[in-house]
Amino acid sequence: MAKPHPASDLDPRQELLLDKPRLQLARPNVFFEIFFYTLLVLLGGFGALCCFYTAFQLELNAAPLLLMGTVYAILGVLQTTLPKGRVIVFAAGALLWGIVLLYFSQEAAEGAGRVLNQILQMYSGKLHVTLFQFAVPEAKPREIAYTGTAFAAMLLPPYFWVLSYILAKRKNALAAFSFTGGILSLALAVSILPEFWAVCMLLLFWCMLLLSSPVLGRRHRVMDEQRRFIVCGAAVRPVLLALLPGAALCMLLVYLLFPQDAYARPHLINDLRSGFVNGFGLEALLEGGQGSNNNRISLDSLRDRSYSGKTAMRVLFEWEDGEGLQEYPQKDYLKSFVGSVYTGRSWEKLPREDVKELEEFMTPGRVQNMGASFENLFPVPQFGWGLHYTLAVENVTTNPRCLFTPYGLSSGENISGLQAEYVADGFLRSSNFFAGTHSYKINAVSSPTQGMSYGVRLYQHWEDNLINQPLGEYRQAYFDDEGREQALMAAANPQGELFEELVSDHNNLYSRSLKLPDWAKQPLSKERRALVNLTERYNDFVAEKYLQLPEETQKVLNEFRSEHGLSMPKGLGEAGYEVFFRQLESVLNENYRYTLTPTPVPEGRDFVDFFLNESKSGYCVHFATAAVALCRSAGIPARYAEGYAVPSGYNGMWVDVPDKNAHAWLEVYYSGSGWVPLEVTPTSPDAPATYYNAQAPSITVVEGNGTGTGGVSPSPSPSPSPSPSPSVRPSPRASAGPSPSHSPEDLEEEEARRPLWPLALILLGLLMLAPLGLCANRVLRRRWRKKAFAQEDRSKAALLLYAHLLKLHELQASLYYGDRKPPEYWEQTALKARFGRDMLTLEELQPLAADAARIERELKEELPTDRRLYWQYVRGLF
């Protein structure tokens, strides 16, 4: 029978309680127990060591280490399991270790330097940083292996002794897993992979821990099995050993089916690792401002803006055939977010149901590539620049989860290497959820700020390729039927009667609702027909989705346009956009003021209504939002966009873009060009992004002289600076030399060379703060309880004390007492405190406090160390 639990010394009325009857299993055979734990220690110890040895490619002699490790694994198990003679075993092991230390001390010291140098060299190769190397004399390979083996042999006795203590004495599976896994993590943390067979040894050990954990972890736990109470001891079962061959066979099959050289880390793991190495971009995300996120724009939370003038990003333009192009004369818009839905208080992305409808007739990105697609398939040489270029972007302080991309994305752009994904028909964002994309290159084609209509492009194409040249490329592509050819050629006269027939139902070629009949699409190539079909379907989608406004907002804007003469000319279609934009620009410039300290929008008030009719001041977000709403109310499809406005700069030279170039602007849809950016914010010295070249007029830029200054006067405004190559964390200062071209693979390699020392410092700081936090947690909880238990209202103190006692009793009962109930006078005192008419006396409260103090003392002595630390410092129970 078990011993009765002693009654409280403070309450003689407490009855004497006995535990329920329980049976104790017979101790397992001592020889089998020694054999089992020795096998477990050898498997785990050598598994972790072999992983470390093969990962860092250490030059060691295996046979002496195998012998040394086996001897100390056996000694360690004997020292912890034998009922007698433990001191003799420990003394023998310590004496042997001391003799080896004295005899091989010099060789072990030299081996320590060589082994550590090899490990640091592997770290240097993976992290692309130069680490410290110990000064050791040169030696031949045989001597290197000899001294390295001597050093490793010195570490084996304490290593196997600790592992034996954890398994055979403490029987703690979690601690054994952490101990061996920590050794493996020294290599895996920087992607240094050990050999497969070594990993299999360690995995077999972990499988054994998992299977035997119910025995290892419950030395004193009372278990109820079929109404019989059994105390689990170290009763390991031989069947566990029979499972080892089965587990080894499974690993062999995995190796044969999935070879190590074919393994690739999951994308999520790569992203997480990149986030730890490169940073998660939280600082830029918390700072806010334009371009800081790509989820939604909350308009009712806009406040004053200020900028530091520090470099936010660096960009480089490489123009195709741009030898004579010294500087591109206008700015470029790099957007990171598009607001499709205006709610009166925010800009939202396109709803999920609309995205699903969009995906029914187009693949992701086709609309975002529409401008470049028209330029490639239906070019109009006399219209705009149409210059192809490559844009390189380096993130400095912006949110790396935002991908800042130009408007003329190349139609053949492959974004798979950019860690990017299309967001409906609006913008791109980084597909790396954890770390974002810090540097990238992307191809694009320049386009003028004025868009071109779908009908005009088609007419120009027909005129160049069919009407003026009836025997041109379409003869081979389509006119294989003589009768059909003659009929079409008869209609295709130089006066363009054929195309006039196509647009006879429309006012002119600028109508967005223009649709070609099937017979008119046939002469087009497959790529052109696909673009025509996509455009016609998307035109309908745009007319349905991008003219929407809240009903009340629509009424306010109609009145505003009527008062200020803002209206679309009738019958001109998209050709009338320019007239409306000139009127809009005039109204905003003459009646509204740019400021970085606008009046906050009152709660519940529509943002556009308040800005247009009351505050009449704000920054780019206010002007762009108002312009989009006014365009929509007039029947012009428009969207809100934000990101950065950057000067295109000199060909092949880096441009530092400061944070004050963060910007918001207006997007307008042209059926033959896609979405075109327009500037509506009045120019201001506080906003360089508002000027035509994204630079304030006071800033003068001259061609760099190769001295590293770039010939730019000191200023926070964008400045071109020659740089040898895109750095991962670029410095605002320029470096001399021309900038060579880099592929996305080169940028990824540069990103992989990012030093890990900031991460190491952060982790070290967290490790140092963790003990302080745990101690503070315990101190604060104890102080709160002391104050609560000593409050003047002793009835409330008794209730709090009763709740604390129940927790203590439950924890103590889990060790020995099973279903034993707490003393009845605890509950009686609590009921009196809860429902009694008078406050409890101090004498009635003291027994509860004394019991709490007693149980806390007993728990400190009875609980295993790991559980005691958990309940003391993590839970703060005592």
Side-chain angles (χ1 to χ4, degrees):
M1 301 292 290
K3 294 181 179 180
H5 182 65
S8 173
D9 297 334
L10 300 175
D11 189 1
R13 300 172 298 171
Q14 183 178 358
E15 60 184 60
L16 191 64
L17 299 177
L18 299 177
D19 290 337
K20 293 183 178 180
R22 56 185 179 175
L23 302 175
Q24 184 165 355
L25 291 177
R27 183 181 181 86
N29 185 283
V30 66
F31 295 105
F32 173 73
E33 187 176 6
I34 292 173
F35 171 75
F36 174 80
Y37 284 115
T38 301
L39 178 63
L40 207 59
V41 170
L42 289 174
L43 189 62
F46 281 118
L49 290 178
C50 288
C51 286
F52 190 83
Y53 163 75
T54 58
F56 290 101
Q57 302 175 10
L58 302 177
E59 299 179 10
L60 304 174
N61 296 324
L65 298 180
L66 181 63
L67 177 62
M68 188 82 168
T70 303
V71 169
Y72 273 91
I74 296 174
L75 291 177
V77 172
L78 291 175
Q79 199 271 333
T80 53
T81 56
L82 286 178
K84 296 180 180 180
R86 297 180 181 179
V87 177
I88 297 176
V89 173
F90 177 78
L95 180 62
L96 177 61
W97 186 35
I99 293 173
V100 174
L101 276 175
L102 291 175
Y103 188 77
F104 295 100
S105 59
Q106 184 175 356
E107 291 84 353
E110 290 185 10
R114 294 190 174 102
V115 169
L116 292 176
N117 283 345
Q118 178 65 20
I119 295 173
L120 293 174
Q121 186 176 356
M122 292 290 288
Y123 278 135
S124 298
K126 279 292 182 180
L127 303 178
H128 300 281
V129 293
T130 303
L131 298 178
F132 174 78
Q133 292 283 301
F134 294 93
V136 292
E138 296 184 2
K140 297 180 179 180
R142 185 174 181 180
E143 185 178 355
I144 293 175
Y146 173 73
T147 55
T149 303
F151 169 67
M154 299 301 101
L155 301 180
L156 290 184
Y159 170 76
F160 277 100
W161 222 303
V162 170
L163 189 57
S164 301
Y165 177 80
I166 292 173
L167 287 171
K169 180 67 175 179
R170 300 299 304 169
K171 296 179 171 57
N172 193 325
L174 179 60
F177 170 79
S178 303
F179 185 66
T180 54
I183 296 175
L184 178 63
S185 66
L186 294 175
L188 292 183
V190 289
S191 300
I192 302 176
L193 303 179
E195 294 291 337
F196 180 78
W197 61 267
V199 177
C200 285
M201 285 183 61
L202 191 57
L203 289 178
L204 283 174
F205 171 67
W206 289 348
C207 288
M208 291 297 297
L209 289 181
L210 183 63
L211 294 171
S212 58
S213 59
V215 173
L216 294 179
R218 303 190 178 200
R219 294 186 303 122
H220 306 295
R221 183 69 58 84
V222 177
M223 300 180 64
D224 189 356
E225 297 181 359
Q226 298 179 354
R227 298 183 180 180
R228 294 178 304 163
F229 288 84
I230 304 173
V231 177
C232 283
V236 293
R237 296 174 174 81
V239 70
L240 295 177
L241 299 180
L243 296 175
L244 279 178
L249 180 61
C250 292
M251 293 179 184
L252 179 61
L253 292 176
V254 170
Y255 176 74
L256 295 176
L257 295 175
F258 307 99
Q260 183 178 0
D261 55 359
Y263 170 77
R265 280 195 303 263
H267 182 66
L268 182 67
I269 300 301
N270 276 328
D271 289 353
L272 182 60
R273 177 179 177 273
S274 178
F276 280 115
V277 173
N278 302 323
F280 293 98
L282 295 178
E283 179 181 355
L285 185 63
L286 294 175
E287 286 181 359
Q290 298 97 292
S292 64
N293 69 78
N294 49 28
N295 291 319
R296 67 188 297 270
I297 304 300
S298 178
L299 300 173
D300 54 4
S301 62
L302 293 180
R303 295 295 183 267
D304 297 351
R305 289 283 168 87
S306 61
Y307 300 100
S308 64
K310 296 180 180 179
T311 299
M313 67 171 66
R314 304 181 73 221
V315 297
L316 178 145
F317 291 84
E318 294 178 334
W319 299 93
E320 184 179 284
D321 300 328
E323 296 181 359
L325 183 65
Q326 294 298 319
E327 183 179 12
Y328 193 67
Q330 66 184 39
K331 63 187 174 185
D332 202 358
Y333 292 91
L334 306 184
K335 64 177 176 178
S336 61
F337 174 79
V338 164
S340 301
V341 179
Y342 175 71
T343 66
R345 295 179 298 275
S346 65
W347 280 110
E348 310 286 345
K349 293 183 295 186
L350 205 63
R352 183 174 301 177
E353 56 272 15
D354 293 343
V355 173
K356 186 176 181 181
E357 178 183 344
L358 190 64
E359 292 174 347
E360 291 178 356
F361 63 88
M362 76 155 203
T363 56
R366 286 296 304 276
V367 172
Q368 297 189 42
N369 294 324
M370 185 176 287
S373 299
F374 271 113
E375 184 65 28
N376 293 331
L377 299 176
F378 295 97
V380 181
Q382 65 270 25
F383 178 72
W385 285 83
L387 291 177
H388 292 265
Y389 65 93
T390 299
L391 172 69
V393 180
E394 288 185 353
N395 183 322
V396 181
T397 59
T398 59
N399 182 9
R401 297 175 214 175
C402 295
L403 214 67
F404 300 92
T405 52
Y407 275 81
L409 290 180
S410 173
S411 57
E413 185 66 53
N414 179 13
I415 67 168
S416 60
L418 300 179
Q419 287 188 306
E421 60 186 3
Y422 288 104
V423 181
D425 61 342
F427 57 99
L428 272 74
R429 66 183 173 196
S430 175
S431 59
N432 188 328
F433 175 78
F434 295 100
T437 303
H438 290 263
S439 57
Y440 51 92
K441 274 193 172 186
I442 198 164
N443 298 323
V445 58
S446 65
S447 59
T449 56
Q450 179 182 358
M452 178 170 284
S453 297
Y454 166 60
V456 174
R457 282 194 182 271
L458 287 177
Y459 181 83
Q460 186 68 45
H461 181 75
W462 275 58
E463 185 178 47
D464 294 342
N465 296 281
L466 182 62
I467 298 175
N468 293 337
Q469 299 180 11
L471 300 180
E473 63 175 276
Y474 288 117
R475 180 179 179 83
Q476 291 76 25
Y478 173 70
F479 296 142
D480 54 354
D481 184 286
E482 184 176 353
R484 184 167 46 186
E485 176 185 359
Q486 293 177 353
L488 193 56
M489 288 181 63
N493 55 64
Q495 285 72 36
E497 295 176 0
L498 175 62
F499 203 85
E500 290 178 6
E501 179 184 347
L502 296 179
V503 298
S504 60
D505 295 333
H506 307 282
N507 292 329
N508 49 52
L509 298 178
Y510 296 93
S511 172
R512 196 174 57 248
S513 59
L514 171 65
K515 287 183 172 57
L516 292 182
D518 292 339
W519 65 266
K521 298 177 184 178
Q522 289 298 325
L524 302 177
S525 65
K526 181 179 179 181
E527 292 78 9
R528 291 186 175 95
R529 284 199 305 271
L531 180 59
V532 166
N533 293 329
L534 169 65
T535 303
E536 291 179 353
R537 295 198 63 177
Y538 188 65
N539 287 345
D540 297 336
F541 181 86
V542 166
E544 179 183 356
K545 307 300 180 183
Y546 290 106
L547 295 175
Q548 295 180 351
L549 287 170
E551 185 176 351
E552 292 300 322
T553 306
Q554 181 72 60
K555 295 179 180 178
V556 171
L557 294 176
N558 289 340
E559 295 177 1
F560 181 88
R561 288 192 299 106
S562 177
E563 293 176 2
H564 293 82
L566 288 172
S567 62
M568 273 285 294
K570 296 182 179 180
L572 294 183
E574 292 181 345
Y577 287 2
E578 292 302 314
V579 177
F580 182 85
F581 296 150
R582 284 195 295 269
Q583 296 174 351
L584 177 61
E585 183 180 9
S586 175
V587 170
L588 293 179
N589 277 271
E590 293 176 2
N591 302 290
Y592 296 85
R593 181 176 59 90
Y594 183 93
T595 177
L596 292 175
T597 57
T599 305
V601 181
E603 185 177 355
R605 187 72 182 275
D606 182 271
F607 181 84
V608 171
D609 181 13
F610 180 74
F611 170 71
L612 291 177
N613 297 311
E614 292 192 28
S615 70
K616 297 186 178 183
S617 62
Y619 39 83
C620 55
V621 178
H622 300 73
F623 286 92
T625 299
V628 172
L630 288 169
C631 286
R632 289 189 176 188
S633 69
I636 302 176
R639 301 189 305 197
Y640 170 92
E642 70 171 33
Y644 278 81
V646 303
S648 298
Y650 293 90
N651 187 31
M653 298 182 67
W654 285 95
V655 176
D656 296 336
V657 182
D659 58 355
K660 64 167 54 181
N661 272 57
H663 197 43
W665 57 88
L666 164 72
E667 274 189 357
V668 175
Y669 178 72
Y670 284 87
S671 57
S673 301
W675 294 95
V676 176
L678 294 177
E679 185 63 74
V680 292
T681 305
T683 56
S684 170
D686 293 331
T690 59
Y691 293 93
Y692 78 99
N693 61 352
Q695 297 184 18
S698 59
I699 303 303
T700 57
V701 181
V702 298
E703 187 174 357
N705 54 15
T707 63
T709 63
V712 183
S713 59
S715 170
S717 296
S719 56
S721 55
S723 174
S725 63
S727 60
V728 179
R729 283 292 181 194
S731 170
R733 297 177 297 176
S735 56
S739 174
S741 175
H742 290 269
S743 64
E745 291 78 9
D746 296 331
L747 292 174
E748 290 179 3
E749 182 179 354
E750 290 288 343
E751 184 176 350
R753 296 179 182 178
R754 194 183 300 267
L756 285 179
W757 62 266
L759 172 64
L761 291 178
I762 293 175
L763 294 178
L764 181 61
L766 292 176
L767 291 175
M768 295 176 63
L769 290 176
L772 296 178
L774 293 175
C775 292
N777 175 59
R778 183 177 183 235
V779 170
L780 292 175
R781 287 176 180 267
R782 287 171 60 87
R783 184 173 298 177
W784 177 87
R785 282 198 300 270
K786 182 178 180 181
K787 183 177 180 181
F789 298 162
Q791 61 179 301
E792 295 182 359
D793 191 338
R794 288 185 291 274
S795 295
K796 291 183 179 180
L799 292 175
L800 295 173
L801 193 55
Y802 175 64
H804 180 60
L805 278 168
L806 291 180
K807 294 179 182 179
L808 294 172
H809 176 80
E810 181 181 2
L811 177 59
Q812 192 176 44
S814 67
L815 294 175
Y816 301 110
Y817 308 126
D819 293 335
R820 176 182 177 182
K821 296 181 180 180
E824 293 184 1
Y825 76 91
W826 289 2
E827 183 178 3
Q828 293 174 358
T829 305
L831 290 175
K832 184 177 181 181
R834 176 67 179 83
F835 301 104
R837 299 179 60 182
D838 300 324
M839 183 185 300
L840 291 182
T841 63
L842 185 61
E843 290 75 14
E844 292 174 313
L845 184 62
Q846 284 179 343
L848 298 183
D851 282 358
R854 174 182 55 80
I855 297 177
E856 288 179 1
R857 288 194 303 270
E858 293 173 356
L859 286 174
K860 291 179 183 179
E861 298 175 357
E862 297 169 350
L863 282 174
T865 304
D866 52 347
R867 295 190 66 190
R868 176 173 56 80
L869 293 177
Y870 170 77
W871 285 100
Q872 276 187 311
Y873 293 95
V874 179
R875 299 294 297 273
L877 188 60
F878 58 88

